[in-house]
């Protein structure tokens, strides 16, 4: 059975770092988007970082320069390194994967919002 499994997250102070990891098991898609989106109550979902099958990366503007994403294509595993965290980064973070017909490039950031996701992991940044 296909599933998305996340780990990492937690609570840090402003300026701290966290690393999120994800593995998508049981998916055999040739082309797909994989990445992270976050959910803040009352604000909806926001794509955070995504990568397509060709390795094209997209990161939301508020996280550029602070977050990096890396993927192991062979195992469909993903890591999100979050540095210099801010209180506004506080959210539930979901790893997601979505099949595409071709490598979707920067469109992945939006496409992930309707992908198959894991259970989520909470990230809390205190000031």
């Amino acid at each position: 059975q296909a599933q998305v499994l996340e780990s990492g997250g937690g609570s840090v102070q402003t300026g701290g770092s966290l690393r999120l990891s994800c593995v998508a098991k049981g998916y055999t898609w040739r082309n797909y988007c994989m990445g992270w989106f976050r959910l803040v109550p009352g604000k909806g979902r926001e794509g955070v970082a995504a990568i397509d099958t060709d390795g094209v990366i997209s990161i939301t503007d508020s996280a550029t320069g602070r977050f990096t994403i890396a993927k192991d294509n062979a195992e469909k595993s993903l890591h999100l390194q979050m540095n210099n965290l801010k209180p506004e980064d506080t959210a539930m973070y979901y790893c997601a994967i979505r099949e595409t017909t071709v490598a979707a490039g920067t469109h992945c950031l939006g496409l992930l919002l309707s992908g198959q996701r894991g259970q989520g992991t909470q990230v809390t940044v205190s000031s």
Side-chain angles (χ1 to χ4, degrees):
Q1 180 179 355
Q3 56 181 342
V4 177
L5 302 172
E6 301 130 330
S7 61
S11 297
V12 296
Q13 292 186 329
T14 297
S17 297
L18 286 172
R19 179 179 171 90
L20 306 183
S21 297
C22 171
V23 59
K25 294 185 175 182
Y27 295 93
T28 58
W29 302 330
R30 179 176 180 178
N31 291 299
Y32 56 91
C33 295
M34 192 169 176
W36 299 86
F37 69 86
R38 59 191 176 190
L39 177 62
V40 178
K43 292 188 177 181
R45 292 175 294 177
E46 177 190 28
V48 175
I51 187 166
D52 77 354
T53 317
D54 286 346
V56 175
I57 291 171
S58 50
I59 298 178
T60 191
D61 289 346
S62 64
T64 298
R66 301 187 297 124
F67 292 9
T68 56
I69 186 171
K71 179 165 71 76
D72 180 337
N73 276 331
E75 297 188 358
K76 289 187 177 65
S77 65
L78 196 65
H79 303 284
L80 181 67
Q81 179 66 40
M82 304 185 293
N83 297 327
N84 191 21
L85 283 160
K86 303 176 180 181
E88 50 264 42
D89 294 317
T90 295
M92 183 70 80
Y93 283 70
Y94 295 91
C95 180
I97 186 169
R98 175 173 169 169
E99 186 179 21
T100 56
T101 54
V102 296
T106 56
H107 295 290
C108 278
L109 203 57
L111 291 173
L112 276 180
L113 301 183
S114 57
Q116 296 181 26
R117 60 173 176 83
Q119 294 294 316
T121 184
Q122 179 68 36
V123 170
T124 301
V125 185
S126 57
S127 58

